[in-house]
Amino acid sequence: MYDILVIGAGPAGANAALFAAKAGKKTLVLDNDKSMTKRAWVENHYGVKEISGPDLIEIGKQQAGKFGTEFVQTEATTIQKTVEGFTVETENGTFETRHVIFATGIGIDLAEKIGLKTKPGTEPRIKTVLDVDADGKTSIEGIWGAGTVAGLSVHTIITAGHGAHVAINVISELNGERYVDHDVLK
């Protein structure tokens, strides 16, 4: 049983996983390797002079992996509610988790299939997004949305930050108190 299962390893998903795993939560990321960031050239990401989208994704996955995040390259096909959380079925197996974070960029097919509420997108070429509250909660308790799929801008710095924001809210809910992650110089 995972504490947090993230669907998508782009900036929102990998950063959510980074925060979750660093907080000691058993974290799994399912990724179909179709991130729009794979086609990006990035020169507007704070703290990074310039980077290719594929390199940004790889570094993010390495950072999350450093803290124990597991990654499986697969397509999530359905999600079912269970007593303790959710069963997520994929092309390569089934996984149990307490919480799910959708960080699927422009992909909403699975979200619509399981009945998550959606709304019109506001970004160019983004027709539909998840209807989430300020914390990232969707219409199904225990399922969250982060990044572009949650209606945020497609910019990597914004989606990465939102992934962290949503992860902190999930971690706080799991812990029963507000979670804060601050490192200090040694």
Side-chain angles (χ1 to χ4, degrees):
M1 169 75 71
Y2 290 91
D3 295 308
I4 300 172
L5 184 148
V6 181
I7 303 173
N15 208 30
L18 168 62
F19 272 75
K22 190 167 182 273
K25 303 306 176 195
K26 188 173 180 185
T27 306
L28 174 66
V29 175
L30 304 177
D31 186 53
N32 65 11
D33 202 31
K34 297 177 184 173
S35 172
M36 72 174 105
T37 304
K38 289 256 181 176
R39 299 181 305 275
W41 178 254
V42 181
E43 292 187 35
N44 60 354
H45 195 105
Y46 176 80
V48 179
K49 290 183 182 181
E50 58 187 36
I51 191 167
S52 73
D55 287 344
L56 183 65
I57 289 173
E58 187 55 36
I59 291 168
K61 288 169 67 174
Q62 289 172 7
Q63 288 176 300
K66 172 184 171 183
F67 295 103
T69 296
E70 297 174 43
F71 290 87
V72 175
Q73 188 168 328
T74 190
E75 185 88 27
T77 56
T78 192
I79 301 173
Q80 295 188 6
K81 185 81 172 132
T82 65
V83 173
E84 293 186 36
F86 301 91
T87 298
V88 180
E89 293 180 27
T90 74
E91 299 170 330
N92 301 334
T94 302
F95 303 94
E96 303 289 326
T97 187
R98 287 178 173 65
H99 292 267
V100 175
I101 298 175
F102 270 80
T104 54
I106 60 172
I108 61 160
D109 292 346
L110 177 58
E112 290 179 324
K113 177 180 175 182
I114 65 168
L116 289 175
K117 289 184 183 173
T118 61
K119 63 183 182 182
T122 58
E123 289 286 299
R125 297 179 300 281
I126 309 293
K127 293 181 181 174
T128 307
V129 297
L130 296 178
D131 188 1
V132 299
D133 71 9
D135 292 331
K137 291 181 178 184
T138 69
S139 58
I140 298 176
E141 185 71 27
I143 299 182
W144 308 69
T148 302
V149 76
L152 273 77
S153 169
V154 298
H155 297 91
T156 61
I157 191 75
I158 294 170
T159 61
H162 195 246
H165 169 80
V166 172
I168 287 170
N169 292 332
V170 178
I171 296 161
S172 297
E173 190 166 301
L174 286 166
N175 290 350
E177 63 183 7
R178 189 70 185 158
Y179 173 76
V180 177
D181 180 0
H182 288 284
D183 294 323
V184 295
L185 290 173
K186 294 178 175 143

